């Protein structure tokens, strides 16, 4: 590709396709953060893109390791690979967490709500696969969005 503007547009189109098409390569995006032991990477579902603002939206459980990692250090890297186009999209971002709103929560199907909440918290070692109780909790529903420097004052929302 020689046209940089067209390349950028293709990258945004590829990302946007993931939001609406479960089979699109950008449906899942790798999010890398800095953990206590070094880099950490995991898959998340891409929930929204805003080309004009240059932002992506992802959702997580506020009790996950990634949430506390981002609260400590908002710098993140994101990665998508589209094999058909042979296109790798690499992004760097500063990520803030905000609580999901009751309206966003209501829009989720019940099965999806159950992904946010539960005991013990994600990442806790359990003695057996069924030693976890799923309880849907709006207080644990966190939206990953762009970190802006002014978020520092007042301090950003820290997950419970
Ligand atoms: C296909 C797939 C989709 C996933 N989507 C999400 C997601 O949207 N949000 C999320 O927090 N975790 C998602 N996960 C789970 C994460 O990859 C990760 O295992 C979990 O969030 C704990 O990560 P952490 O301990 O590094 O915070 C997904 C996993 C897979 C395999």
């Amino acid at each position: 590709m020689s046209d940089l503007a067209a390349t950028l547009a293709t990258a945004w189109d590829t990302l946007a396709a993931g939001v609406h098409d479960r089979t699109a390569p950008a449906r899942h995006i790798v999010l890398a953060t800095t953990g206590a032991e070094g880099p950490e990477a995991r898959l998340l579902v891409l929930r929204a893109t805003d080309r004009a603002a240059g932002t992506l939206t992802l959702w997580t459980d506020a009790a996950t390791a990634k949430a506390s990692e981002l609260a400590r250090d908002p710098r993140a890297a994101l990665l998508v690979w589209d094999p058909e186009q042979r296109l790798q999209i690499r992004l760097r971002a500063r990520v803030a967490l905000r609580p999901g709103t009751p309206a966003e929560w209501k829009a989720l199907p019940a099965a999806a709500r159950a992904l946010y909440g539960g005991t013990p918290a994600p990442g806790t070692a359990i003695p057996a696969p069924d030693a976890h109780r799923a309880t849907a909790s709006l207080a644990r529903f966190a939206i990953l969005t762009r970190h802006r420097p002014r978020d520092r004052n007042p301090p950003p929302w820290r997950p419970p």
Side-chain angles (χ1 to χ4, degrees):
M1 277 188 252
S2 56
D3 181 333
L4 289 179
T7 304
L8 183 61
T10 299
W12 277 107
D13 287 346
T14 303
L15 291 169
V19 176
H20 305 291
D21 178 357
R22 286 172 179 272
T23 65
R27 178 68 175 178
H28 300 109
I29 188 161
V30 176
L31 169 74
T33 52
T34 304
E37 305 295 328
E40 298 283 355
R42 77 289 277 165
L43 276 184
L44 271 75
V45 175
L46 179 57
R47 304 294 178 174
T49 63
D50 184 334
R51 189 180 307 202
T55 57
L56 306 182
T57 302
L58 311 167
W59 298 343
T60 197
D61 182 324
T64 57
K66 75 182 82 52
S68 40
E69 288 162 10
L70 287 166
R72 268 195 307 271
D73 184 345
R75 293 174 302 169
L78 298 110
L79 177 80
V80 165
W81 163 240
D82 182 334
E84 215 162 272
Q85 300 187 74
R86 299 196 58 74
L87 176 65
Q88 174 179 229
I89 303 174
R90 300 173 63 188
L91 302 104
R92 264 178 302 166
R94 296 177 82 85
V95 182
L97 293 159
R98 68 162 176 83
T101 65
E104 288 167 325
W105 183 247
K106 260 193 182 165
L108 295 185
R113 285 187 204 148
L115 297 173
Y116 309 94
T119 321
T124 309
I126 49 176
D130 60 355
H132 179 266
R133 196 164 49 89
T135 36
S137 162
L138 168 58
R140 292 261 296 271
F141 180 43
I143 314 284
L144 275 58
T145 183
R146 174 184 267 179
H147 177 279
R148 296 168 201 278
R150 69 166 183 274
D151 289 346
R152 289 179 191 280
N153 189 17
W157 176 68
R158 292 186 84 93

